[in-house]
Coordinates of all heavy atoms in Angstrom, one line a residue:
M8 N 14.5 -14.1 3.3 CA 13.4 -13.1 3.0 C 12.5 -13.7 2.0 O 12.9 -13.9 0.9 CB 14.0 -11.8 2.5 CG 14.1 -10.8 3.6 SD 14.7 -9.2 3.2 CE 13.9 -8.7 1.7
K9 N 11.3 -14.0 2.4 CA 10.3 -14.5 1.4 C 9.2 -13.5 1.3 O 8.0 -13.9 1.0 CB 9.8 -15.9 1.8 CG 9.3 -15.9 3.2 CD 8.8 -17.3 3.6 CE 8.2 -17.4 5.0 NZ 6.9 -17.8 5.1
N10 N 9.5 -12.3 1.4 CA 8.5 -11.2 1.4 C 7.9 -11.1 0.0 O 6.7 -10.6 -0.1 CB 9.2 -9.9 1.7 CG 9.3 -9.7 3.2 OD1 8.6 -10.3 3.9 ND2 10.1 -8.8 3.6
L11 N 8.6 -11.6 -1.0 CA 8.0 -11.4 -2.4 C 6.8 -12.2 -2.5 O 6.0 -12.0 -3.4 CB 9.1 -11.9 -3.4 CG 10.2 -10.9 -3.6 CD1 11.3 -11.4 -4.5 CD2 9.7 -9.5 -4.1
N12 N 6.6 -13.2 -1.7 CA 5.4 -14.0 -1.8 C 4.2 -13.5 -1.0 O 3.1 -14.1 -0.9 CB 5.7 -15.5 -1.4 CG 6.5 -16.1 -2.5 OD1 6.4 -15.8 -3.7 ND2 7.4 -17.0 -2.0
K13 N 4.5 -12.4 -0.3 CA 3.4 -11.8 0.5 C 2.3 -11.3 -0.4 O 2.5 -10.9 -1.5 CB 3.9 -10.7 1.4 CG 4.8 -11.1 2.5 CD 5.2 -10.0 3.3 CE 4.1 -9.5 4.2 NZ 4.5 -8.8 5.4
S14 N 1.1 -11.2 0.2 CA 0.0 -10.6 -0.6 C 0.0 -9.1 -0.4 O 0.6 -8.6 0.6 CB -1.3 -11.1 -0.2 OG -1.5 -11.0 1.2
C15 N -0.5 -8.4 -1.3 CA -0.5 -6.9 -1.3 C -1.2 -6.4 0.0 O -2.4 -6.9 0.3 CB -1.1 -6.3 -2.5 SG -1.3 -4.6 -2.5
F16 N -0.6 -5.5 0.7 CA -1.2 -5.0 1.9 C -2.5 -4.2 1.7 O -3.4 -4.1 2.5 CB -0.2 -4.1 2.7 CG -0.6 -3.6 4.0 CD1 -0.7 -4.5 5.1 CD2 -1.0 -2.3 4.1 CE1 -1.2 -4.0 6.3 CE2 -1.4 -1.9 5.4 CZ -1.5 -2.7 6.5
I17 N -2.6 -3.7 0.5 CA -3.7 -2.8 0.2 C -4.8 -3.5 -0.5 O -6.0 -3.4 0.0 CB -3.2 -1.6 -0.7 CG1 -2.3 -0.7 0.2 CG2 -4.4 -0.8 -1.2 CD1 -1.7 0.4 -0.5
C18 N -4.6 -4.2 -1.5 CA -5.7 -4.9 -2.3 C -5.7 -6.4 -2.0 O -6.7 -7.1 -2.4 CB -5.6 -4.6 -3.7 SG -4.2 -5.4 -4.6
G19 N -4.7 -6.9 -1.4 CA -4.7 -8.3 -1.1 C -4.3 -9.2 -2.2 O -4.3 -10.5 -2.1
A20 N -3.9 -8.6 -3.3 CA -3.5 -9.4 -4.5 C -2.3 -10.3 -4.2 O -1.3 -9.8 -3.6 CB -3.3 -8.5 -5.7
T21 N -2.3 -11.5 -4.6 CA -1.1 -12.3 -4.4 C -0.5 -12.5 -5.8 O -1.1 -12.3 -6.9 CB -1.5 -13.7 -3.8 OG1 -2.5 -14.3 -4.6 CG2 -2.0 -13.5 -2.4
D22 N 0.8 -13.0 -5.8 CA 1.4 -13.4 -7.0 C 1.6 -12.2 -8.0 O 1.3 -12.3 -9.2 CB 0.6 -14.5 -7.7 CG 1.5 -15.4 -8.6 OD1 2.7 -15.4 -8.3 OD2 1.0 -16.0 -9.5
C23 N 1.9 -11.1 -7.5 CA 2.1 -10.0 -8.3 C 3.4 -9.3 -7.9 O 3.9 -9.4 -6.8 CB 1.0 -9.0 -8.2 SG 0.6 -8.5 -6.5
D24 N 4.0 -8.5 -8.9 CA 5.2 -7.8 -8.6 C 4.8 -6.6 -7.7 O 3.7 -6.1 -7.7 CB 5.8 -7.2 -9.9 CG 6.5 -8.3 -10.7 OD1 6.9 -9.3 -10.0 OD2 6.6 -8.1 -11.9
G25 N 5.8 -6.2 -6.9 CA 5.5 -5.1 -6.0 C 6.7 -4.6 -5.3 O 7.8 -5.2 -5.4
I26 N 6.5 -3.7 -4.4 CA 7.6 -3.2 -3.6 C 7.3 -3.6 -2.2 O 6.1 -3.7 -1.8 CB 7.7 -1.6 -3.7 CG1 6.4 -0.9 -3.3 CG2 8.2 -1.2 -5.1 CD1 6.5 0.5 -3.1
I27 N 8.4 -3.7 -1.4 CA 8.2 -4.0 0.0 C 8.5 -2.7 0.8 O 9.5 -2.1 0.7 CB 9.2 -5.1 0.5 CG1 9.0 -6.4 -0.3 CG2 9.0 -5.4 2.0 CD1 7.7 -7.1 -0.1
L28 N 7.5 -2.3 1.6 CA 7.6 -1.1 2.3 C 7.5 -1.4 3.8 O 6.4 -1.8 4.2 CB 6.5 -0.1 1.9 CG 6.7 1.4 2.2 CD1 8.0 1.9 1.7 CD2 5.5 2.2 1.7
N29 N 8.6 -1.3 4.5 CA 8.6 -1.5 5.9 C 8.0 -2.9 6.2 O 7.3 -3.1 7.2 CB 7.7 -0.4 6.6 CG 8.2 -0.3 8.1 OD1 9.3 -0.7 8.5 ND2 7.4 0.3 8.9
G30 N 8.3 -3.9 5.4 CA 7.9 -5.2 5.6 C 6.6 -5.6 5.0 O 6.2 -6.7 5.1
E31 N 5.9 -4.6 4.5 CA 4.6 -4.9 3.9 C 4.7 -4.7 2.4 O 5.3 -3.8 1.9 CB 3.5 -3.9 4.4 CG 3.3 -4.0 5.9 CD 2.7 -5.4 6.4 OE1 2.3 -6.1 5.5 OE2 2.6 -5.6 7.6
K32 N 3.9 -5.6 1.7 CA 4.0 -5.5 0.2 C 2.9 -4.6 -0.4 O 1.8 -4.7 0.1 CB 3.9 -6.9 -0.3 CG 4.0 -6.9 -1.8 CD 4.1 -8.3 -2.3 CE 4.2 -8.3 -3.9 NZ 4.3 -9.7 -4.4
I33 N 3.4 -3.8 -1.3 CA 2.4 -3.1 -2.1 C 2.6 -3.5 -3.6 O 3.7 -3.3 -4.1 CB 2.6 -1.6 -1.9 CG1 2.4 -1.2 -0.5 CG2 1.7 -0.8 -2.8 CD1 2.7 0.3 -0.2
C34 N 1.6 -4.0 -4.2 CA 1.7 -4.4 -5.6 C 1.8 -3.2 -6.5 O 1.5 -2.1 -6.2 CB 0.6 -5.3 -6.0 SG -1.0 -4.5 -6.3
K35 N 2.3 -3.5 -7.7 CA 2.6 -2.5 -8.7 C 1.3 -1.7 -9.0 O 1.4 -0.4 -9.1 CB 3.1 -3.2 -10.0 CG 3.8 -2.2 -10.9 CD 5.2 -2.1 -10.6 CE 5.9 -1.0 -11.4 NZ 7.1 -0.5 -10.7
A36 N 0.2 -2.3 -9.1 CA -1.0 -1.6 -9.4 C -1.4 -0.6 -8.3 O -1.8 0.5 -8.6 CB -2.2 -2.6 -9.6
C37 N -1.3 -1.1 -7.1 CA -1.6 -0.2 -6.0 C -0.6 1.0 -5.8 O -0.9 2.1 -5.5 CB -1.6 -1.0 -4.6 SG -3.1 -2.0 -4.5
E38 N 0.7 0.6 -6.1 CA 1.7 1.7 -6.0 C 1.3 2.8 -7.0 O 1.4 3.9 -6.7 CB 3.0 1.0 -6.4 CG 4.2 2.0 -6.2 CD 5.5 1.5 -6.9 OE1 5.5 0.3 -7.2 OE2 6.3 2.3 -7.2
E39 N 0.9 2.3 -8.2 CA 0.6 3.3 -9.3 C -0.6 4.1 -8.9 O -0.7 5.3 -9.1 CB 0.4 2.6 -10.6 CG 1.7 2.5 -11.4 CD 1.5 1.6 -12.6 OE1 0.4 1.5 -13.1 OE2 2.5 1.0 -13.0
K40 N -1.6 3.4 -8.3 CA -2.8 4.1 -7.8 C -2.5 5.2 -6.8 O -3.0 6.3 -6.8 CB -3.8 3.1 -7.2 CG -4.7 2.5 -8.3 CD -5.8 1.7 -7.6 CE -6.1 0.4 -8.4 NZ -6.7 -0.6 -7.6
I41 N -1.6 4.8 -5.9 CA -1.2 5.8 -4.8 C -0.5 7.0 -5.5 O -0.9 8.1 -5.1 CB -0.3 5.1 -3.8 CG1 -1.1 4.1 -3.0 CG2 0.3 6.1 -2.9 CD1 -0.2 3.1 -2.3
V42 N 0.4 6.7 -6.4 CA 1.1 7.8 -7.0 C 0.2 8.7 -7.8 O 0.3 9.9 -7.8 CB 2.2 7.2 -7.9 CG1 2.8 8.3 -8.7 CG2 3.3 6.5 -7.1
N43 N -0.8 8.1 -8.5 CA -1.7 8.8 -9.4 C -3.0 9.3 -8.7 O -3.7 10.0 -9.4 CB -2.0 8.0 -10.6 CG -0.8 7.7 -11.4 OD1 0.1 8.5 -11.6 ND2 -0.6 6.5 -11.9
T44 N -3.2 8.9 -7.5 CA -4.5 9.4 -6.9 C -4.4 10.8 -6.4 O -3.5 11.2 -5.7 CB -4.8 8.4 -5.7 OG1 -5.0 7.1 -6.2 CG2 -6.1 8.9 -5.0
N45 N -5.3 11.6 -6.9 CA -5.4 13.0 -6.5 C -6.0 13.1 -5.1 O -6.8 12.3 -4.7 CB -6.2 13.7 -7.5 CG -6.0 15.2 -7.4 OD1 -6.4 15.8 -6.5 ND2 -5.3 15.8 -8.4
I46 N -5.6 14.2 -4.4 CA -6.1 14.4 -3.1 C -7.6 14.5 -3.1 O -8.3 14.2 -2.1 CB -5.5 15.7 -2.5 CG1 -4.0 15.5 -2.2 CG2 -6.2 16.2 -1.2 CD1 -3.3 16.7 -1.7
I47 N -8.2 15.0 -4.2 CA -9.7 15.2 -4.2 C -10.4 13.8 -4.4 O -11.6 13.7 -4.3 CB -10.2 16.2 -5.2 CG1 -9.7 15.8 -6.6 CG2 -9.7 17.6 -4.8 CD1 -10.4 16.6 -7.7
N48 N -9.6 12.8 -4.8 CA -10.2 11.5 -5.0 C -10.5 10.9 -3.7 O -9.7 10.9 -2.8 CB -9.1 10.6 -5.8 CG -9.7 9.3 -6.2 OD1 -10.4 8.6 -5.5 ND2 -9.4 8.9 -7.5
P49 N -11.7 10.4 -3.5 CA -12.1 9.8 -2.2 C -11.2 8.6 -1.8 O -11.1 8.3 -0.7 CB -13.6 9.3 -2.4 CG -13.9 9.6 -3.8 CD -12.8 10.4 -4.5
D50 N -10.6 8.0 -2.8 CA -9.7 6.8 -2.5 C -8.4 7.3 -1.9 O -7.8 6.5 -1.2 CB -9.4 6.1 -3.8 CG -10.6 5.2 -4.3 OD1 -11.5 5.0 -3.5 OD2 -10.6 4.9 -5.5
Y51 N -8.2 8.5 -2.0 CA -6.9 9.1 -1.5 C -6.7 8.8 -0.1 O -5.6 8.3 0.4 CB -6.8 10.6 -1.8 CG -5.5 11.2 -1.4 CD1 -4.3 11.1 -2.2 CD2 -5.4 11.8 -0.1 CE1 -3.1 11.7 -1.8 CE2 -4.2 12.4 0.3 CZ -3.1 12.3 -0.5 OH -1.9 12.9 -0.1
D52 N -7.7 9.1 0.7 CA -7.6 8.8 2.2 C -7.4 7.4 2.5 O -6.7 7.1 3.4 CB -8.9 9.3 2.9 CG -8.9 10.8 3.1 OD1 -7.7 11.4 3.1 OD2 -9.9 11.4 3.3
I53 N -8.0 6.5 1.7 CA -7.9 5.1 2.0 C -6.4 4.7 1.8 O -5.8 4.0 2.7 CB -8.8 4.3 1.1 CG1 -10.3 4.6 1.3 CG2 -8.5 2.8 1.2 CD1 -11.2 4.1 0.3
Y54 N -5.9 5.1 0.7 CA -4.5 4.7 0.4 C -3.5 5.4 1.4 O -2.6 4.8 1.9 CB -4.1 5.1 -1.0 CG -4.8 4.3 -2.0 CD1 -5.5 4.9 -3.0 CD2 -4.7 2.9 -2.0 CE1 -6.2 4.2 -4.0 CE2 -5.3 2.2 -3.0 CZ -6.1 2.8 -4.0 OH -6.8 2.1 -4.9
K55 N -3.8 6.6 1.7 CA -3.0 7.4 2.6 C -3.0 6.7 4.0 O -1.9 6.6 4.6 CB -3.5 8.8 2.8 CG -2.5 9.8 3.4 CD -3.2 11.1 3.6 CE -4.3 11.0 4.6 NZ -5.1 12.3 4.8
D56 N -4.2 6.3 4.5 CA -4.2 5.6 5.7 C -3.5 4.3 5.7 O -2.8 3.9 6.7 CB -5.7 5.4 6.1 CG -6.4 6.7 6.6 OD1 -5.7 7.7 6.8 OD2 -7.6 6.7 6.7
R57 N -3.6 3.6 4.6 CA -2.9 2.3 4.5 C -1.4 2.5 4.6 O -0.6 1.8 5.3 CB -3.2 1.6 3.2 CG -4.6 1.1 3.2 CD -4.7 -0.2 4.0 NE -6.0 -0.7 4.0 CZ -6.3 -2.0 4.2 NH1 -5.4 -2.9 4.5 NH2 -7.6 -2.4 4.2
I58 N -0.9 3.5 3.9 CA 0.5 3.8 3.9 C 1.0 4.2 5.3 O 2.0 3.8 5.8 CB 0.8 5.0 2.9 CG1 0.5 4.5 1.5 CG2 2.3 5.4 3.0 CD1 1.4 3.4 1.0
K59 N 0.1 5.0 6.0 CA 0.4 5.4 7.3 C 0.6 4.2 8.3 O 1.5 4.1 9.1 CB -0.7 6.3 7.9 CG -0.2 7.7 8.2 CD -1.2 8.5 9.0 CE -2.1 9.3 8.1 NZ -3.2 9.9 8.8
I60 N -0.3 3.2 8.1 CA -0.2 2.0 8.9 C 1.1 1.3 8.7 O 1.7 0.9 9.6 CB -1.4 1.1 8.6 CG1 -2.7 1.8 9.1 CG2 -1.3 -0.3 9.2 CD1 -4.0 1.1 8.6
I61 N 1.4 1.2 7.4 CA 2.7 0.5 7.0 C 3.9 1.2 7.6 O 4.7 0.7 8.2 CB 2.8 0.4 5.5 CG1 1.7 -0.5 5.0 CG2 4.2 -0.1 5.1 CD1 1.7 -0.5 3.4
L62 N 3.9 2.5 7.4 CA 5.1 3.3 7.8 C 5.2 3.5 9.3 O 6.3 3.4 9.8 CB 5.1 4.7 7.1 CG 5.3 4.7 5.6 CD1 5.3 6.1 5.1 CD2 6.6 4.0 5.3
F63 N 4.1 3.7 9.9 CA 4.2 4.0 11.4 C 3.6 2.9 12.3 O 3.5 3.1 13.5 CB 3.5 5.3 11.6 CG 4.1 6.4 10.8 CD1 3.3 7.0 9.8 CD2 5.4 6.9 10.9 CE1 3.8 8.0 9.0 CE2 5.9 7.9 10.1 CZ 5.1 8.5 9.1
N64 N 3.2 1.8 11.6 CA 2.6 0.7 12.4 C 1.4 1.2 13.2 O 1.2 0.8 14.4 CB 3.7 0.1 13.4 CG 4.5 -1.0 12.6 OD1 3.9 -1.8 11.9 ND2 5.7 -1.0 12.9
Q65 N 0.6 2.0 12.6 CA -0.5 2.5 13.3 C -1.7 1.6 13.1 O -2.7 2.0 12.5 CB -0.9 3.9 12.8 CG 0.2 5.0 13.2 CD -0.2 6.4 12.8 OE1 -1.1 6.5 11.9 NE2 0.4 7.4 13.3
H66 N -1.6 0.4 13.6 CA -2.8 -0.5 13.5 C -3.9 -0.1 14.4 O -3.6 0.2 15.6 CB -2.3 -1.9 13.7 CG -1.4 -2.5 12.7 ND1 -1.9 -3.0 11.5 CD2 -0.1 -2.5 12.6 CE1 -0.9 -3.4 10.8 NE2 0.2 -3.1 11.4
V67 N -5.1 0.0 13.9 CA -6.2 0.4 14.8 C -6.9 -0.8 15.3 O -7.0 -1.8 14.7 CB -7.1 1.4 14.1 CG1 -6.7 2.8 14.3 CG2 -7.2 1.1 12.6
Ligands
ZN125 ZN1 -2.3 -4.1 -4.5

């Protein structure tokens, strides 16, 4: 497993700590953004869609 060297699926950052979700990496910064993003924040949909792609392989 060399997933730790993957770039962040959301922001593309490399060389950062993060979690692996269904084989895709989410860096710490993005993870926190997702957790702290409110539904009324326009970014919420972006993150939500990204997570959906990761979890359900809904590539468009
Ligand atoms: Zn990121």
Side-chain angles (χ1 to χ4, degrees):
M8 263 181 44
K9 52 181 181 121
N10 279 341
L11 287 176
N12 289 326
K13 288 182 76 154
S14 54
C15 174
F16 183 73
I17 291 176
C18 71
T21 53
D22 208 25
C23 54
D24 284 337
I26 55 168
I27 303 293
L28 195 59
N29 207 17
E31 300 291 353
K32 182 172 179 181
I33 299 175
C34 74
K35 198 87 189 155
C37 286
E38 186 197 341
E39 273 171 27
K40 271 187 216 157
I41 291 166
V42 171
N43 294 321
T44 299
N45 196 288
I46 290 179
I47 58 166
N48 189 316
D50 286 343
Y51 180 84
D52 277 339
I53 297 169
Y54 292 124
K55 196 186 63 185
D56 286 347
R57 289 285 179 156
I58 296 294
K59 242 193 266 174
I60 291 168
I61 294 174
L62 289 181
F63 306 113
N64 273 321
Q65 290 182 346
H66 290 275
V67 269

